[in-house]
């Protein structure tokens, strides 16, 4: 079965909560986050400005991928982190744990495929999947 090709994608895996302590997650999952802040700490925005974090967060992010490869990006992030499912589940129960997928379409009729193995890895860790889907004008 052919895989659909997305124009571009970005993925992050993270935890969010008002009492979140980023250091605890870093120690348990074995890698430094792309962003790790406590509620109220300075947090860089997409524009480069630094604003107080509305909630605590710990997240690892992929580089943008063009053409998009959501499945590959999710697995690459998981591969860099601990397989301690007990720790993952504990954090997912205490905080809002999610896999975020930013999907930028080249046309209005594209799709993506997640392999069963990828879905299993997400589910074993108790994480939600959030999809943000955008149509991107590739002509301009």
């Amino acid at each position: 079965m052919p895989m659909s090709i997305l124009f571009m994608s970005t993925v992050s895996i993270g935890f969010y909560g008002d009492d979140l302590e980023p250091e605890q997650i870093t120690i348990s999952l074995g890698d430094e986050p792309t962003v790790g802040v406590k509620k109220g700490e300075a947090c860089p925005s997409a524009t480069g400005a630094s604003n107080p974090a509305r909630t605590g967060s710990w997240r690892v992010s992929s580089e943008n991928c063009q053409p998009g490869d959501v499945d590959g990006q999710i697995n690459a992030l998981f591969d860099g982190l601990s397989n301690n499912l007990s720790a993952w589940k504990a954090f997912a129960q205490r905080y809002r744990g999610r896999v975020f997928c930013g999907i930028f379409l080249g046309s209005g009729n594209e799709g993506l495929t997640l392999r069963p193995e990828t879905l299993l890895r997400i589910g074993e860790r108790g994480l939600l999947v959030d999809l943000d889907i955008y149509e991107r004008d590739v002509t301009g």
Side-chain angles (χ1 to χ4, degrees):
M1 172 172 34
M3 303 274 283
S4 297
I5 297 178
L6 301 173
F7 180 73
M8 186 175 74
S9 61
T10 187
V11 170
S12 66
I13 297 172
F15 296 96
Y16 306 84
D18 288 347
D19 64 340
L20 184 138
E21 296 284 337
E23 302 81 26
Q24 292 176 340
I25 298 173
T26 298
I27 291 166
S28 293
L29 298 186
D31 197 10
E32 290 293 324
T34 307
V35 174
V37 295
K38 295 178 184 178
K39 181 177 180 176
E41 286 184 341
C43 183
S45 71
T47 63
S50 188
N51 300 309
R54 288 186 236 172
T55 191
S57 68
W58 181 98
R59 61 188 180 273
V60 292
S61 301
S62 69
E63 295 290 325
N64 291 347
C65 189
Q66 189 173 354
D69 182 13
V70 171
D71 192 83
Q73 289 169 288
I74 292 169
N75 282 295
L77 291 174
F78 279 143
D79 289 347
L81 299 166
S82 168
N83 285 321
N84 180 342
L85 297 181
S86 297
W88 281 95
K89 288 178 188 176
F91 291 130
Q93 288 173 354
R94 182 168 179 189
Y95 308 115
R96 183 175 189 270
R98 73 175 187 159
V99 175
F100 167 82
C101 306
I103 301 162
F104 301 86
L105 305 177
S107 70
N109 189 21
E110 292 182 84
L112 65 100
T113 300
L114 295 177
R115 295 176 302 126
E117 298 85 2
T118 304
L119 296 170
L120 181 62
R121 289 180 92 176
I122 295 167
E124 286 176 327
R125 289 159 175 79
L127 302 175
L128 302 170
V129 176
D130 285 339
L131 303 173
D132 277 10
I133 303 170
Y134 307 92
E135 185 172 5
R136 184 175 184 132
D137 179 8
V138 295
T139 61

